Amino acid sequence: MTTTQTALLISGIGMGTVFLVLGFFAVLIKLMVAAFAEKTATPAGSEPGGDKPKAKEVKVMAGGSGLRDNSAQDGPPGHVVGAISAVLASYLGPDVRFRIASIRPAGGSGMATFSRWALAGRLAQVGTRELFGFRRGL
Amino acid sequence: MLEGLVMGMKLSLGNLIMFGVAGVLFWLAIRKDYEPMLLLPMGFGALLANIPFSSAIGEEGPLTVLYQAGIATELFPVLIFIAVGAMVDFGPLLRNPVMLVFGAAAQVGIFLTMLTATQLGFTLKQAASIGIIGAADGPTSIYVASIFARELLAPISVAAYSYMALVPIIQPPVIRLLTTPAERRIRMDYKDLKVSRTVKILFPIMVTVVAGIVAPISVALVGLLMFGNLIRECGVLERLSKAAQNELASLVTLLLGITIGSTMVASEFLTPTTLMILGMGLVAFVFDTAGGVIFAKALNLFLRTKVNPMVGAAGISAFPMSARVIHKMGMQEDPTNYLIMHAVGANVAGQIGSIIAGGLILALVR
């Protein structure tokens, strides 16, 4: 066999084996995750067999120039609410929904920006429409 | 002093060019912030090695001693694996193990580049060492090259680390070429599944045993990476985990960089072979990216819930650079499309894929 033929054979076997091994890992991980799933404790306040517990919710109230459209001199619009929520989120974990509210009637632009850069994954779950729904909520 | 001046006059054109190469590495590291932890020590090693009659290299030179102790014995790259393992969080992958198939698909660059290298006249072992640049995994490239083609170690290391740093420049055009804007806007659901500590502890043990049985020669590679990860995840060795992530990683990277740099002697580095290796390294990264994207597109032919094909390109080992690139590209097409968690999952899968591919190359080419 020439060097190229040998390389071709090795490439075929190599790629095939990489797929097999990683595919095997994928199945094994699925099985392990299912077998060792953490049992969630009944949340305080909810009766066994009763209503579903309410989702934890945090209201973030923020105001100031960070929420205004023309706030470039103070930082990006939404930076105040973004910074507060990012810190909160890192402490509270993934199960917490965020209600964002402005103490002033303005704030749409800032919140939209915030949804883009501050807490992308979390707000993706909440949804910007819902986010806007709360903007004058408090 | 006079003797020193006379010796200094013996600078060859090759030495001067290598000073330029060292300068480029400094520029990439300092001004561009491209892999500075490795490229800067490598640049300085090259500088030291190309000063005529340098006492840093040679039979008793400290850098040659380091080379014999750390590279020739494969000790430095293996120690780096412990550090890398301690730094990697396999969580995103454990939450979404399907991403492992992208970690496999993106390894195609390794094998295609190996084939290309054999066509260009390299021996099989040299071709395998060049192909492994496509793993986008510096330590694996160094490990394989130090076993199969020590004479090519310097250009392979430079190529591997340079292209890893250039992922934000290399990947986007390839992805754009292979995908439509509509494909780049595909949204993917993300379930924030909880993974128990038991799974996180069992995972590195399971990978070590399976990979070790499939390719025993990969045990040093995979085993020590997973050892580092076990230290991280076990929860009782926080001090060791931090030491592996910080002190061990810093110290070995420093020594590894300057030692590899010291092998960049003009007479051995300034050859057409080096240029070919640098060219093929780029080809390897392009093949990797294209392989991941095309595989994802092929999967979409059969899937009801489509995958964003850009995520396939994140199946390389350049972590977290590649995931960030994919997320950014997704946001450019649709600012509300968040691909980051999927891309990170594929990227972590690429880290496992590259190391498994490296182990297989070692087993098959031998």
Side-chain angles (χ1 to χ4, degrees), chain B residues 135-205:
Chain B
D137 179 344
T140 304
S141 301
I142 293 171
Y143 187 74
V144 173
S146 62
I147 292 174
F148 279 168
R150 217 165 275 173
E151 69 282 4
L152 303 180
L153 183 61
I156 285 173
S157 309
V158 171
Y161 279 97
S162 304
Y163 293 134
M164 269 165 62
L166 293 173
V167 159
I169 296 166
I170 298 169
Q171 285 204 311
V174 181
I175 295 170
R176 276 196 203 98
L177 193 72
L178 294 170
T179 54
T180 63
E183 284 174 327
R184 296 198 288 273
R185 280 195 291 269
I186 293 175
R187 286 169 178 263
M188 293 170 71
D189 281 340
Y190 180 72
K191 287 180 192 127
D192 198 8
L193 189 72
K194 257 205 168 135
V195 176
S196 69
R197 194 167 146 236
T198 315
V199 174
K200 288 187 172 180
I201 290 171
L202 284 176
F203 178 70
I205 299 169

Side-chain angles (χ1 to χ4, degrees), chain B residues 130-341:
Chain B
I130 295 166
I132 210 78
I133 297 172
D137 179 344
T140 304
S141 301
I142 293 171
Y143 187 74
V144 173
S146 62
I147 292 174
F148 279 168
R150 217 165 275 173
E151 69 282 4
L152 303 180
L153 183 61
I156 285 173
S157 309
V158 171
Y161 279 97
S162 304
Y163 293 134
M164 269 165 62
L166 293 173
V167 159
I169 296 166
I170 298 169
Q171 285 204 311
V174 181
I175 295 170
R176 276 196 203 98
L177 193 72
L178 294 170
T179 54
T180 63
E183 284 174 327
R184 296 198 288 273
R185 280 195 291 269
I186 293 175
R187 286 169 178 263
M188 293 170 71
D189 281 340
Y190 180 72
K191 287 180 192 127
D192 198 8
L193 189 72
K194 257 205 168 135
V195 176
S196 69
R197 194 167 146 236
T198 315
V199 174
K200 288 187 172 180
I201 290 171
L202 284 176
F203 178 70
I205 299 169
M206 182 259 303
V207 172
T208 306
V209 173
V210 174
I213 290 169
V214 173
I217 198 166
S218 72
V219 169
L221 236 86
V222 183
L224 289 174
L225 180 94
M226 292 302 159
F227 169 61
N229 193 252
L230 185 60
I231 289 176
R232 173 200 172 94
E233 299 295 353
C234 69
V236 291
L237 292 174
E238 201 181 334
R239 197 158 58 92
L240 288 191
S241 170
K242 281 188 176 156
Q245 290 178 46
N246 299 304
E247 287 83 2
L248 182 67
S250 304
L251 194 64
V252 182
T253 305
L254 189 148
L255 295 178
L256 189 70
I258 199 164
T259 310
I260 289 172
S262 74
T263 64
M264 294 165 67
V265 182
S267 56
E268 289 163 32
F269 192 82
L270 295 177
T271 61
T273 307
T274 299
L275 281 179
M276 283 162 79
I277 290 171
L278 291 176
M280 278 186 288
L282 180 61
V283 168
F285 272 66
V286 171
F287 280 149
D288 282 344
T289 307
V293 173
I294 292 168
F295 179 75
K297 285 175 72 132
L299 265 187
N300 278 347
L301 296 175
F302 306 98
L303 294 176
R304 226 178 306 158
T305 312
K306 306 290 179 203
V307 172
N308 189 314
M310 292 198 298
V311 170
I316 62 170
S317 182
F319 182 87
M321 196 99 72
S322 187
R324 280 209 303 253
V325 167
I326 303 308
H327 176 63
K328 209 174 145 195
M329 287 184 74
M331 296 280 275
Q332 279 167 359
E333 291 294 334
D334 175 359
T336 58
N337 191 6
Y338 305 102
L339 294 171
I340 188 72
M341 291 313 284

